[in-house]
Amino acid sequence: MGCVRLLPLVAGICLATTVAAAAATALPSLEQALAARRDVYGEAAMAQPNGASYEFLAPLLPPPRYVHADFRYYPIVLSAPNASLKARLISNGSGVNLSGGSRSWHDLGVPFTFRVGPDEFLFGGLRDRLAEPTLAEGFLPIPEIRYRHASPFFSEGAVPLTQEPLRRPPEIYALESFASTDPRLAEHAVVFVKFSLAQGTSGTVSVTVDDQTPLTFAEGRLIDAKGGVVAIADPTWKWERQRLVAKITTKNFATIAFATKPLAASTAAALKIDYDAERVACADTWRKILSAAMKVETPEPLVNNAWRHLLLQNFQLIKGDRMHYSSGNQYDLLYVADGSDAALEMFMWGYERDMRRLLVALLDFTRKGLEYHQAGFKLN
């Protein structure tokens, strides 16, 4: 669970070339490589005609995928820079703020599950139909996840004499999401989600609530029992059988905003939720943060995108002036060793002001039984 910060390095993973995949099949298995006394994969990569490459190594070491939680897939942290409250998008697209189940995971607001098709199949439910998350422009914390699901169809009595089955390409649903950087919404960890069709003529998306929270829907607002607004939906959504349902095509999409901390009814009424405007503002915020960093350009776009997003994800993990190790689980804490490593790296990348404010919390922090361990890092 402490590896959450590494997720963006593989979130934009691409398919390996046929040649690289063929070469990988002749290599030792992962178990054999781990038992070897030398770096057999590294040596094989360097022996390639053009030297080591990401395309060669990618199929050998799959990305981190599964976690000890009911939602199974790694969560993607969604947060405004330095925000105290954060949300999570499950990396197979199955929902926002889903409960982890075990005590290792913290519950975050109302859990919403996403389903697709008229049969309301779980988004991302089958691994072989799921595409890896990709990031806007390769590095912005605006992930997109695609899932292939063919809508079942019925003959309704008109069975052809030939008994030949009807065939049509399956729908490919696309989910894009980000956390608002508007201070009024960031305080509530408001997450925007857009559902669209990348393939197919028409599709159905439904959003269900995974706990017993009694909800009512009126004028595009989903309201909890205390009168707080937990979601704001565009006019595409309809409230049916205690769930939100939207019909989409390749020409129209459905957007919705989820509040991790419920919004006051008066606050929600005064807000004009505009997905496109919020997305532009979000992207501009993160680009501005990157503009203060050291610039590194390599011949490989993947490397350039990796350092950019890794820096941005650190700002997503920071809570106020505290450099936390992870988010939404038992490691959502400040650790002197790991926090110092991250803060010092950010200092070297050009974030001197941020280092100053993060340093105070690191120097003040103490934990019984680890005083000498922590003193060493503080002196360093």
Side-chain angles (χ1 to χ4, degrees):
M1 284 179 291
C3 296
V4 173
R5 246 182 296 169
L6 298 179
L7 184 62
L9 296 178
V10 296
I13 194 168
C14 61
L15 293 177
T17 62
T18 303
V19 175
T25 58
L27 292 171
S29 67
L30 179 60
E31 290 74 18
Q32 292 171 327
L34 292 173
R37 293 183 178 273
R38 66 182 196 279
D39 184 3
V40 292
Y41 287 167
E43 292 174 1
M46 290 188 292
Q48 297 303 301
N50 293 317
S53 68
Y54 176 82
E55 286 72 22
F56 179 84
L57 293 169
L60 301 178
L61 302 173
R65 180 169 291 128
Y66 306 112
V67 292
H68 175 57
D70 290 351
F71 44 73
R72 296 178 53 215
Y73 288 76
Y74 259 79
I76 298 174
V77 179
L78 296 178
S79 169
N82 308 307
S84 297
L85 187 63
K86 306 176 188 301
R88 60 173 168 242
L89 169 70
I90 311 307
S91 59
N92 70 334
S94 56
V96 165
N97 292 337
L98 299 187
S99 175
S102 71
R103 289 176 292 178
S104 301
W105 293 88
H106 305 156
D107 287 340
L108 306 171
V110 176
F112 291 97
T113 295
F114 305 148
R115 300 180 178 276
V116 294
D119 52 339
E120 297 185 347
F121 199 88
L122 182 67
F123 194 117
L126 297 177
R127 177 70 191 90
D128 59 343
R129 300 180 181 181
L130 178 66
E132 298 286 349
T134 59
L135 301 173
E137 300 180 30
F139 63 90
L140 291 173
I142 306 176
E144 181 187 88
I145 306 170
R146 294 192 174 194
Y147 185 65
R148 175 171 50 87
H149 178 69
S151 295
F153 54 91
F154 307 95
S155 60
E156 297 181 354
V159 180
L161 294 177
T162 61
Q163 297 294 303
E164 293 180 0
L166 298 175
R167 299 186 185 279
R168 65 185 184 194
E171 287 76 23
I172 297 180
Y173 291 86
L175 175 162
E176 182 184 74
S177 184
F178 61 89
S180 174
T181 55
D182 182 329
R184 299 172 300 171
L185 301 180
E187 183 181 352
H188 295 263
V190 172
V191 172
F192 284 81
V193 180
K194 179 174 78 172
F195 294 96
S196 60
L197 271 186
Q199 175 179 287
T201 55
S202 63
T204 304
V205 178
S206 60
V207 176
T208 60
V209 182
D210 275 12
D211 62 8
Q212 302 302 314
T213 303
L215 301 172
T216 57
F217 186 70
E219 299 181 350
R221 268 57 172 169
L222 197 59
I223 305 166
D224 65 17
K226 297 180 179 180
V229 176
V230 296
I232 303 176
D234 72 20
T236 309
W237 298 91
K238 309 299 179 186
W239 186 245
E240 300 175 0
R241 293 184 298 170
Q242 297 302 301
R243 66 196 62 201
L244 288 165
V245 179
K247 304 291 185 181
I248 59 175
T249 69
T250 52
K251 295 183 178 180
N252 77 288
F253 48 82
T255 61
I256 188 168
F258 301 101
T260 303
K261 175 184 176 182
L263 294 159
S266 57
T267 303
L271 292 174
K272 183 180 180 181
I273 300 298
D274 184 330
Y275 183 92
D276 291 336
E278 290 286 344
R279 189 186 188 282
V280 169
C282 173
D284 287 346
T285 297
W286 291 112
R287 288 196 196 95
K288 184 177 180 180
I289 288 176
L290 271 181
S291 68
M294 172 174 60
K295 305 298 185 295
V296 175
E297 292 294 335
T298 75
E300 296 186 79
L302 187 73
V303 174
N304 299 328
N305 288 334
W307 73 255
R308 292 185 182 107
H309 188 65
L310 189 57
L311 287 175
L312 297 185
Q313 196 174 45
N314 274 345
F315 280 98
Q316 288 186 289
L317 290 181
I318 294 172
K319 284 191 171 183
D321 293 332
R322 295 166 59 90
M323 182 70 251
H324 277 212
Y325 182 54
S326 188
S327 178
N329 54 50
Q330 67 184 36
Y331 294 106
D332 190 354
L333 297 167
L334 188 150
Y335 293 86
V336 170
D338 309 278
S340 296
D341 288 344
L344 286 169
E345 291 296 330
M346 292 176 68
F347 173 75
M348 288 188 285
W349 277 86
Y351 295 105
E352 292 92 347
R353 291 184 180 179
D354 292 288
M355 176 61 183
R356 289 191 187 99
R357 65 186 180 88
L358 296 173
L359 188 62
V360 175
L362 288 167
L363 292 175
D364 282 348
F365 181 80
T366 186
R367 183 175 177 182
K368 188 175 181 180
L370 293 175
E371 292 86 354
Y372 292 111
H373 163 81
Q374 293 169 343
F377 282 97
K378 291 178 182 182
L379 288 171
N380 186 51

